[in-house]
Amino acid sequence: MTQMSDEQFRILIETIRALAPIKDDEPQSKGSFSNCPVRFSGQRDHDAVDEFITAVETYKEVEGISDRDALKGLPLLFNNIAVVWWKGVRRDAKTWEDAMQLLRDHFSPTKPSYQIYMEIFETKQGGGEVIDSFICKQRALLAKLPDGRHDEETELDFIYGLMQPKYRESIPRHEIKSFRELLDRGRTVERTRH
């Protein structure tokens, strides 16, 4: 067995450290977007952009893709005009967050609140539309408003007034305190009234 002096041991440790790979602040990436099925073609549609970003960020997280590798691989997910757009803005995207913000800013400009309100109030529940579908669509519109704009009670008032009369006649508004209650009561109405 070979013995080392303290000085020899210190030199050995320093040499090993010097030869070891330098650790980045960012964890090593485990995947890439090469097998990601999601694509974006550049449609100017808030919902399409939102769905794309949600799907890509979920895939990125599940596959353990680092922000740096995700930024490099993002063009793999673009088609048509989105490819051309990316070529023009890629230098502006220094981080993953920058890229997602650029995507939102260009393809999904925020609608002004008044337009969202117009959409909400011009969409009454259709004759054959089930309560789940109607409330889901209306809440998705409400979610596009700035955070904290309305409490749940006010949002319930908006949606309640747009529901079919058969629901309003069976469900007194003052008895409903949450969307969960409204959905439960609405489903009961659907089961009992065919």
Side-chain angles (χ1 to χ4, degrees), residues 84-93 102:
V84 177
W85 166 80
W86 181 249
K87 287 177 182 177
V89 301
R90 70 177 174 226
R91 281 183 235 100
D92 298 334
L102 285 166

Side-chain angles (χ1 to χ4, degrees), residues 2-175:
T2 308
Q3 288 198 332
M4 290 189 228
S5 68
D6 288 343
E7 181 63 18
Q8 288 172 322
F9 184 70
R10 185 186 58 74
I11 293 170
L12 177 64
I13 295 298
E14 285 176 9
T15 304
I16 291 171
R17 281 190 184 139
L19 295 175
I22 298 170
K23 287 190 175 180
D24 261 339
D25 291 342
E26 195 167 354
Q28 191 66 18
S29 195
K30 292 185 251 171
S32 74
F33 286 133
S34 60
N35 292 320
C36 182
V38 180
R39 296 289 179 268
F40 183 70
S41 298
Q43 56 273 39
R44 290 183 60 82
D45 175 343
H46 180 81
D47 293 333
V49 172
D50 234 21
E51 288 172 21
F52 173 76
I53 290 173
T54 300
V56 166
E57 289 189 335
T58 301
Y59 188 90
K60 176 181 169 290
E61 183 178 334
V62 168
E63 292 296 316
I65 303 171
S66 69
D67 284 357
R68 186 179 349 171
D69 288 347
L71 191 58
K72 287 179 191 172
L74 187 60
L76 294 171
L77 306 179
F78 293 146
N79 292 322
N80 303 328
I81 192 68
V83 173
V84 177
W85 166 80
W86 181 249
K87 287 177 182 177
V89 301
R90 70 177 174 226
R91 281 183 235 100
D92 298 334
K94 307 286 187 234
T95 66
W96 175 254
E97 290 77 23
D98 289 348
M100 295 301 98
Q101 193 57 54
L102 285 166
L103 190 63
R104 282 186 183 98
D105 291 347
H106 187 80
F107 294 104
S108 178
T110 306
K111 281 185 183 177
S113 295
Y114 78 88
Q115 285 183 342
I116 297 168
Y117 284 118
M118 286 174 55
E119 276 184 65
I120 291 168
F121 291 114
E122 69 188 15
T123 311
K124 291 188 175 190
Q125 186 179 13
E129 188 174 16
V130 294
I131 192 119
D132 290 76
S133 173
F134 175 69
I135 290 177
C136 181
K137 289 178 199 169
Q138 293 296 74
R139 288 190 81 187
L141 287 171
L142 288 166
K144 293 179 183 179
L145 292 168
D147 285 342
R149 177 65 61 100
H150 302 290
D151 59 14
E152 187 172 23
E153 189 79 15
T154 305
E155 292 178 353
L156 282 164
D157 286 338
F158 293 163
I159 293 175
Y160 184 86
L162 299 168
M163 293 180 349
Q164 292 176 27
K166 75 176 184 181
Y167 294 100
R168 292 194 314 260
E169 291 163 4
S170 301
I171 309 168
R173 171 63 187 95
H174 68 276
E175 292 179 6

